[in-house]
């Protein structure tokens, strides 16, 4: 359904509502035609067949259609014939396979990943026993309702209907102690009656029934409090409870709370004379409300429709309710919640409304298992984070203690407290295939983000108040299970604590640091793609807090960082020139930091020499003893725990720092780990091998004699060996070495040690490589092979009898590979 089509459907449904308000009998006919169009939509069959489900906008249209049909069948003045006709039509639509279901899913009719899993017998029986409920089921059920009840008629027909002085037996259930009438019907059904009255143009009657329903809810709330007082001790000891109301009022298909709230606020809305001009400009202006006294003559029933609207919204939002099954139903819960809160935020809280707000919040806190803000809640109850955020902002200017008490209690997310928690790449964003008697929480990511928003709101408000900050911090550490969200809170706190145009707030900075430390501990042994960013941020935060914080994280690094992080990021940043300048440290403080950093570096090098040795040497440069210790750690680890690449890197560092002999020793150790095959003439270690040979050559004949056997053993590539040999014969050993060292200037002979061994190894490498290449050579590589033989001849000629050896080598090739006539012809042309 395209955007234009959806807009047209919304307009049509609004037109139907307008016709109903005008008591136009054609409204029902028009809705019938619209429903026929909806049911004829070919996408319904496609959605059902594919099991993909419809979009949220389409679902909302179907919900509105179903709610409108409830209003139609609850028309207080419809005839029995009309109701019977509607009932037949609704049943016909409801029995169609393509009819959308009330919960937005296709239930067990569609194949899904969990259908093949073994379910418990109880779960299977529940699934089979659950009736199929379509978007028209509520309207079908509504056809059984009537308006003939005398008590109901008196409620909606008079503002002054009160309890008689002498009540007859059984009338006690019809009135409260103040004599105000009650309506003891199922709340969503009673609210559907209110919606029907409003929709059919009976606003006064709707108001009277709304007041009766709220009086009933008040009485129910009082009785629930009394029940809880008797059960409180047992419930608190047990620590668990049940949810008595399995049908939530928030996210309900009939939107009972929204219906009551709208009915009451419409009676209080101030009509703006300029509303047409405003709507023409496209600007939306929030409605303006005024207090309108409740129309009854009961002296105890003082109040206004506006305060009743706030009260019933708080009652409904604070109800402890079970998380419904299915993605759409769960999504609808928080969408409906946000709609109600948006309307609540349009109310300007005066003294009367603040009093109502405080009173209801206290009742919700004391409500036990009947309230989502009670002391003990069920594991599967819907969290109160979004609701609590509104309450916190509304209460804070008037009663800060109550605002914090309520919000801190709302930080709970029990569904995560009894299941393994993990990071943001986490269990909540994938569908579990493990059978469970609990519904899957598809919107858990949204709920966690709302929990984070609530915590951030409290942190911001508590800035400068150490006691409140500490309490909020403990709530965050206890209840938030996502490291990424805690990191976000830490960043938020840091940003608020360090404004660009003002001095830093120490209390909030310390909270940011505490949260950052918790993130480090949570992600130390788990994968998180933001880990590097988190580590860098923590060092920045600790720097802002001060030198003691830096010393602390350096001393306790093993609980926070990996050895690599501790040396390459943490210690390196702490010891940087920028950090020293930022903190304006004196000499003793600089020395203390440096000492901690060196200790950390050595500990990390011992634990992970492969990745930390070079960083440790760098950090320990200015302390001779620490530097020697780090160097010894490298030497000890070289034989077993380090690769040739790591050793070559450290060796080059040693040469750069002015330790050529140590560099030579490390290069020699690296050579023992290297194995360079005959065909690896582009190996990344070649430059390191050439550098190591150049270093040993510069140090002298003894060092060159020591490195050549290692080279011969490790390197089998002829071109690399010939390159080393050529470089060694260009100058005498030691000429480019240590300044002031005396040297005769006589070039080394390739016929004597140590170059003789290298020459023989190079010649053998050329011979072996030649045979290897000839085994599978193709004609397109003949030219390249001839060039290779030319380079081989240059190496052969370095030997005294090299020309004879090369001639014999060529003759052997001609004999062995005489079948390759074209290639051997090319060999004769070039080498005879």
């Amino acid at each position: 359904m395209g955007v234009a089509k959806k807009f047209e459907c919304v307009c049509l449904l609004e037109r139907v509502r307008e016709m109903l308000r005008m008591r136009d009998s054609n409204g029902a006919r028009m809705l019938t035609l619209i429903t026929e169009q909806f049911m004829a939509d070919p996408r319904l069959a496609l959605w059902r067949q594919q099991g993909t489900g419809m979009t949220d906008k389409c679902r909302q249209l179907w919900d509105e259609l179903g709610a409108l049909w409830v209003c139609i069948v609850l028309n207080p003045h419809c005839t029995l014939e009309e109701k019977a006709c509607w009932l037949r039509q609704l049943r016909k639509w409801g029995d169609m396979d393509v009819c959308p279901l009330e919960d937005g899913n296709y239930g067990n009719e569609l194949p899904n990943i969990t259908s093949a899993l073994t379910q418990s017998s109880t779960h299977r029986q529940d699934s089979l026993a659950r009736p199929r409920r379509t978007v028209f089921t509520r309207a079908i059920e509504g056809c059984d309702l009537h308006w003939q009840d005398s008590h109901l008629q008196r409620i909606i027909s008079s503002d002054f209907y009160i309890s008689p002085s002498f009540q007859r037996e059984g009338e006690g259930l019809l009135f409260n102690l103040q004599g105000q009438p009650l309506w003891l019907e199922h709340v969503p059904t009673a609210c559907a009656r209110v919606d029907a009255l409003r929709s059919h143009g009976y606003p006064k009657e709707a108001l009277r029934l709304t007041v009766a329903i709220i009086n009933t809810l008040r009485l129910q709330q009082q009785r629930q409090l009394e029940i809880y007082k008797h059960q409180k001790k047992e419930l608190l000891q047990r620590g668990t409870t049940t949810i008595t109301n399995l049908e939530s009022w928030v996210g309900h298909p009939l939107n009972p709370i929204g219906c009551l709230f709208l009915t009451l606020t419409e009676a209080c809305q101030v009509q703006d004379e300029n509303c047409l001009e405003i709507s023409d400009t496209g600007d939306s202006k929030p409605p303006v409300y005024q207090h309108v006294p409740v129309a009854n003559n009961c002296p105890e029933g003082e109040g206004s429709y506006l305060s009743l609207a706030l009260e019933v919204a708080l009652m409904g939002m604070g109800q402890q309710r079970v998380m419904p099954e299915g993605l759409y139903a769960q999504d609808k819960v928080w969408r409906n919640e946000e709609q109600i809160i948006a309307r609540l935020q349009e109310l300007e809280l005066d003294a009367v409304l603040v009093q109502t707000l405080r009173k209801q919040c206290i009742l919700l806190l004391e409500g036990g298992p009947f309230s989502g803000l009670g002391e003990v809640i069920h594991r599967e109850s819907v969290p109160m984070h979004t609701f609590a955020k509104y309450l916190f902002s509304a209460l804070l200017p008037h009663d800060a203690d109550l605002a914090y008490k309520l919000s801190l209690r709302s930080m709970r997310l029990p569904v995560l407290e009894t299941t393994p928690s993990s990071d943001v790449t986490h269990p909540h964003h994938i569908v579990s295939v493990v059978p469970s008697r609990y519904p899957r929480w598809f919107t858990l990511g949204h709920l966690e983000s709302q929990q984070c928003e609530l915590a951030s709101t409290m942190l911001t408000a508590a800035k400068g108040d150490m006691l409140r900050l500490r309490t909020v911090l403990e709530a965050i550490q206890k209840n938030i299970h996502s490291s990424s969200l805690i990191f976000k809170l830490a960043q938020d706190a840091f940003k608020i604590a360090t404004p660009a145009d003002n001095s830093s707030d120490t209390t909030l900075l310390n909270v940011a640091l505490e949260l950052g430390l918790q993130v480090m501990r949570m992600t130390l042994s788990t994968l998180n793609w933001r880990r590097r960013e988190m580590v860098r941020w923590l060092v920045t935060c600790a720097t802002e807090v001060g030198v003691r914080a830096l010393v602390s994280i350096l001393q306790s690094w093993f609980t926070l960082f990996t050895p690599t992080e501790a040396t390459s990021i943490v210690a390196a940043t702490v010891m940087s020139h920028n950090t020293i300048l930022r903190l304006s440290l004196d000499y003793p403080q600089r020395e203390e930091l440096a000492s901690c950093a060196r200790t950390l570096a050595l500990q990390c090098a011992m634990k992970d020499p492969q990745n930390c040795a070079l960083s440790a040497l760098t950090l320990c440069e200015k302390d001779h003893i620490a530097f020697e210790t780090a160097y010894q750690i490298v030497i000890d680890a070289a034989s077993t725990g380090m690769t040739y690449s790591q050793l070559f890197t450290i060796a080059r560092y040693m040469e750069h720092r002015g330790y050529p002999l140590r560099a030579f020793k490390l290069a020699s150790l690296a050579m023992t780990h290297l194995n360079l095959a005959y065909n690896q003439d582009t190996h990344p270690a070649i430059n390191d091998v050439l550098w190591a040979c150049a270093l040993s050559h510069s140090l002298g004949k003894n060092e060159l004699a020591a490195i050549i056997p290692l080279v011969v053993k490790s390197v089998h590539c002829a071109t690399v060996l010939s390159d080393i040999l050529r470089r060694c014969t260009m100058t005498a050993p030691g000429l480019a070495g240590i300044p002031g060292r005396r040297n005769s200037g006589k070039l080394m002979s390739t016929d004597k040690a140590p170059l003789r061994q290298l020459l023989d190894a190079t010649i053998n490498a050329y011979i072996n490589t030649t045979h290897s290449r000839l085994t599978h050579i193709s004609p397109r590589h003949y030219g390249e092979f001839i060039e290779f033989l030319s380079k081989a001849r240059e190496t052969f000629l370095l030997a005294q009898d090299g020309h004879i050896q090369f001639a014999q080598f060529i003759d052997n090739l001609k004999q062995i590979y005489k079948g390759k006539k074209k290639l051997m012809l090319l060999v004769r042309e070039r080498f005879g």
Side-chain angles (χ1 to χ4, degrees):
M1 200 180 290
V3 176
K5 186 70 173 174
K6 288 175 189 172
F7 180 73
E8 180 187 341
C9 293
V10 171
C11 292
L12 286 172
L13 295 178
E14 285 297 322
R15 175 63 182 147
V16 171
R17 282 206 177 268
E18 185 62 31
M19 292 173 73
L20 295 180
R21 274 194 292 271
M22 301 298 292
R23 304 183 191 178
D24 187 342
S25 59
N26 290 319
R29 284 196 212 84
M30 185 173 179
L31 187 60
T32 302
L33 293 173
I34 294 171
T35 307
E36 290 285 2
Q37 282 187 335
F38 272 44
M39 294 300 294
D41 188 344
R43 298 171 192 236
L44 283 177
L46 186 64
W47 283 327
R48 185 185 185 282
Q49 187 178 23
Q50 294 178 345
T52 54
M54 59 185 73
T55 64
D56 283 351
K57 291 293 183 186
C58 289
R59 277 295 327 163
Q60 290 167 32
L61 280 173
W62 279 101
D63 287 347
E64 176 66 10
L65 186 71
L68 264 174
W69 272 111
V70 173
C71 288
I72 293 288
V73 301
L74 284 179
N75 182 349
H77 296 294
C78 70
T79 64
L80 291 176
E81 290 78 10
E82 287 176 324
K83 190 175 285 191
C85 179
W86 294 332
L87 180 59
R88 285 193 300 272
Q89 189 63 62
L90 289 167
R91 282 177 174 165
K92 174 188 169 185
W93 291 327
D95 290 339
M96 294 173 69
D97 288 340
V98 295
C99 186
L101 302 185
E102 185 178 73
D103 61 2
N105 303 313
Y106 285 96
N108 297 325
E109 298 177 333
L110 291 176
N112 58 68
I113 196 168
T114 58
S115 62
L117 298 172
T118 305
Q119 303 286 336
S120 67
S121 59
T122 305
H123 182 78
R124 283 200 304 270
Q125 289 167 6
D126 289 347
S127 299
L128 293 172
R130 188 181 302 147
R132 180 175 179 267
R133 296 186 64 85
T134 71
V135 290
F136 301 115
T137 300
R138 301 269 174 185
I140 292 169
E141 293 169 348
C143 289
D144 294 331
L145 300 175
H146 60 81
W147 295 85
Q148 277 71 49
D149 185 274
S150 59
H151 180 60
L152 175 61
Q153 286 295 323
R154 288 173 182 152
I155 289 173
I156 64 177
S157 61
S158 174
D159 290 328
F160 306 105
Y161 176 47
I162 60 170
S163 170
S165 301
F166 299 98
Q167 294 185 25
R168 291 188 294 274
E169 187 177 349
E171 283 191 341
L173 295 175
L174 303 180
F175 303 93
N176 62 16
L177 295 176
Q178 289 77 35
Q180 297 168 313
L182 307 175
W183 183 241
L184 300 175
E185 195 171 29
H186 179 56
V187 173
T189 306
C191 294
R193 290 184 186 274
V194 173
D195 194 25
L197 289 169
R198 275 182 65 246
S199 299
H200 286 90
Y202 300 99
K204 290 183 180 179
E205 289 81 354
L207 265 178
R208 291 164 187 157
L209 183 54
T210 297
V211 173
I213 293 170
I214 293 174
N215 288 333
T216 309
L217 293 177
R218 283 173 167 173
L219 182 62
Q220 184 185 43
Q221 191 177 51
Q222 291 170 6
R223 289 179 177 174
Q224 288 172 345
L225 283 171
E226 292 170 6
I227 293 170
Y228 175 56
K229 285 176 183 177
H230 292 96
Q231 300 175 343
K232 184 173 181 179
K233 186 176 179 181
E234 179 189 350
L235 282 174
L236 292 178
Q237 285 178 345
R238 200 167 63 218
T240 58
T241 185
T242 56
I243 299 178
T244 55
N245 193 340
L246 298 179
E247 189 174 49
S248 166
W249 298 339
V250 177
H252 191 280
L254 300 178
N255 190 19
I257 300 303
C259 170
L260 298 182
F261 185 85
L262 281 175
T263 303
L264 292 162
T265 52
E266 280 179 359
C268 304
Q269 190 166 346
V270 177
Q271 295 301 321
D272 190 349
E273 296 177 359
N274 299 321
C275 62
L276 290 176
E277 297 176 15
I278 292 167
S279 62
D280 287 342
T281 61
D283 297 330
S284 59
K285 185 177 180 181
V288 179
Y289 299 107
Q290 62 183 355
H291 285 284
V292 176
V294 176
N296 62 51
N297 61 356
C298 181
E300 298 296 330
E302 295 176 0
S304 73
Y305 291 123
L306 200 58
S307 61
L308 286 183
L310 176 61
E311 184 177 357
V312 76
L314 298 179
M315 279 185 186
M317 296 278 285
Q319 172 202 40
Q320 184 178 187
R321 50 195 187 269
V322 70
M323 179 65 78
E325 293 186 30
L327 171 59
Y328 178 74
Q330 294 178 20
D331 186 67
K332 191 159 67 171
V333 166
W334 68 259
R335 246 191 301 110
N336 189 205
E337 191 175 54
E338 289 183 344
Q339 287 168 358
I340 297 172
I341 289 174
R343 290 201 167 101
L344 284 172
Q345 288 171 335
E346 293 174 349
L347 302 180
E348 188 175 341
L349 295 178
D350 55 18
V352 175
L353 294 183
V354 167
Q355 184 181 356
T356 303
L357 180 68
R358 289 187 71 257
K359 179 183 176 183
Q360 194 54 231
C361 285
I362 292 169
L363 289 173
L364 287 172
L365 285 171
E366 296 173 353
F370 305 99
S371 165
L373 298 173
E375 288 184 76
V376 180
I377 57 174
H378 191 268
R379 178 181 181 270
E380 289 288 311
S381 64
V382 176
M384 297 280 115
H385 308 135
T386 309
F387 180 43
K389 184 184 172 188
Y390 161 75
L391 294 177
F392 180 81
S393 301
L395 278 171
L396 191 62
H398 311 288
D399 192 338
D401 290 337
L402 180 60
Y404 276 101
K405 182 179 180 181
L406 185 146
S407 299
L408 289 167
R409 184 175 287 182
S410 302
M411 281 291 291
R412 302 170 294 191
L413 192 51
V415 74
L416 292 184
E417 292 170 9
T418 53
T419 55
S421 63
S422 99
D423 198 22
V424 151
T425 52
H426 54 264
H428 324 138
H429 301 298
I430 54 176
V431 176
S432 171
V433 295
V434 180
S436 171
R437 60 194 179 94
Y438 298 114
R440 291 191 293 263
W441 284 45
F442 295 98
T443 58
L444 192 51
H446 169 79
L447 296 172
E448 285 186 289
S449 68
Q450 290 300 302
Q451 183 188 36
C452 179
E453 287 293 323
L454 173 61
S456 181
T457 303
M458 286 193 287
L459 282 176
T460 304
K463 180 180 177 180
D465 189 330
M466 177 53 79
L467 186 59
R468 290 207 196 280
L469 279 175
R470 179 56 53 182
T471 310
V472 176
L473 174 64
E474 289 171 0
I476 291 169
Q477 292 174 325
K478 178 183 177 182
N479 296 297
I480 297 184
H481 300 273
S482 164
S483 58
S484 293
L485 290 177
I486 296 177
F487 181 53
K488 180 183 180 301
L489 283 172
Q491 289 178 305
D492 290 347
F494 181 80
K495 195 178 295 183
I496 297 165
T498 54
D501 56 348
N502 211 333
S503 57
S504 300
D505 182 87
T506 309
T507 55
L508 198 52
L509 260 181
N510 280 299
V511 168
L513 180 63
E514 282 284 335
L515 292 172
L517 293 173
Q518 183 179 351
V519 171
M520 290 298 100
R521 288 187 285 267
M522 289 175 73
T523 57
L524 179 59
S525 57
T526 59
L527 292 175
N528 190 303
W529 64 274
R530 298 184 67 189
R531 172 74 183 180
R532 193 172 183 86
E533 176 194 353
M534 292 170 172
V535 174
R536 290 188 182 281
W537 178 88
L538 183 74
V539 178
T540 302
C541 182
T543 304
E544 196 68 33
V545 173
V547 66
R548 300 319 312 165
L550 289 175
V551 169
S552 175
I553 66 171
L554 289 174
Q555 291 176 340
S556 58
W557 70 268
F558 45 88
T559 65
L560 305 170
F561 315 109
T562 64
T564 307
E565 292 168 346
T567 52
S568 64
I569 301 176
V570 181
T573 306
V574 169
M575 294 303 296
S576 69
H577 183 64
N578 288 339
T579 303
I580 303 299
L581 287 179
R582 176 76 183 83
L583 293 171
S584 303
L585 301 179
D586 55 24
Y587 180 76
Q589 289 174 322
R590 287 202 300 271
E591 280 303 300
E592 182 183 16
L593 265 186
S595 175
C596 290
R598 287 192 293 267
T599 302
L600 174 150
L602 294 176
Q603 290 171 345
C604 292
M606 286 288 290
K607 194 168 185 178
D608 186 5
Q610 298 95 325
N611 298 310
C612 301
L614 181 58
S615 297
L617 287 165
T618 306
L619 289 165
C620 295
E621 278 179 354
K622 296 181 180 178
D623 186 281
H624 177 71
I625 296 175
F627 187 80
E628 288 296 324
T629 306
Y631 174 69
Q632 193 56 49
I633 291 171
V634 175
I635 296 299
D636 294 342
S639 58
T640 54
M642 301 189 76
T643 66
Y644 66 82
S645 177
Q646 292 162 341
L647 288 169
F648 273 131
T649 302
I650 297 172
R652 285 177 179 268
Y653 162 79
M654 283 294 183
E655 185 197 31
H656 179 69
R657 301 307 301 169
Y659 299 104
L661 292 175
R662 291 186 177 187
F664 169 74
K665 184 172 183 179
L666 289 169
S668 301
L669 291 170
M671 290 297 300
T672 62
H673 294 287
L674 180 65
N675 184 20
L676 213 155
Y678 77 92
N679 58 349
Q680 293 181 296
D681 52 357
T682 58
H683 194 281
I686 291 174
N687 285 333
D688 288 322
V689 173
L690 294 174
W691 168 82
C693 292
L695 174 67
S696 60
H697 190 277
S698 68
L699 291 174
K701 186 175 180 180
N702 293 335
E703 288 78 6
L704 184 60
I707 201 78
I708 282 177
L710 299 176
V711 171
V712 168
K713 184 178 180 182
S714 302
V715 180
H716 307 287
C717 180
T719 54
V720 176
L721 288 171
S722 64
D723 195 7
I724 296 170
L725 182 62
R726 180 180 55 78
R727 294 176 187 223
C728 288
T729 55
M730 288 175 66
T731 57
L735 284 181
I738 301 172
R741 181 167 176 171
R742 297 184 62 189
N743 211 295
S744 63
K746 183 180 179 182
L747 300 181
M748 291 185 70
S749 170
T750 55
D751 288 330
K752 296 180 180 178
L755 292 189
R756 180 66 197 188
Q757 183 183 3
L758 180 59
L759 176 60
D760 291 342
T762 307
I763 291 173
N764 287 330
Y766 270 115
I767 293 171
N768 294 332
T769 304
T770 299
H771 288 297
S772 297
R773 293 181 69 166
L774 283 171
T775 305
H776 302 290
I777 196 168
S778 63
R780 62 193 178 95
H781 292 129
Y782 285 175
E784 182 185 330
F785 177 73
I786 296 299
E787 292 302 318
F788 176 77
L789 286 182
S790 298
K791 292 181 180 178
R793 180 170 59 180
E794 293 174 5
T795 301
F796 272 83
L797 293 179
L798 290 175
Q800 277 190 348
D801 57 347
H803 60 289
I804 299 173
Q805 289 187 49
F806 186 73
Q808 291 174 344
F809 173 53
I810 293 297
D811 289 340
N812 288 336
L813 291 182
K814 293 174 185 176
Q815 285 294 323
I816 297 171
Y817 302 103
K818 58 185 176 181
K820 300 180 184 293
K821 296 179 180 179
K822 186 176 180 180
L823 178 59
M824 291 304 111
L825 180 62
L826 293 173
V827 169
R828 286 192 190 92
E829 288 178 356
R830 177 69 68 92
F831 305 109

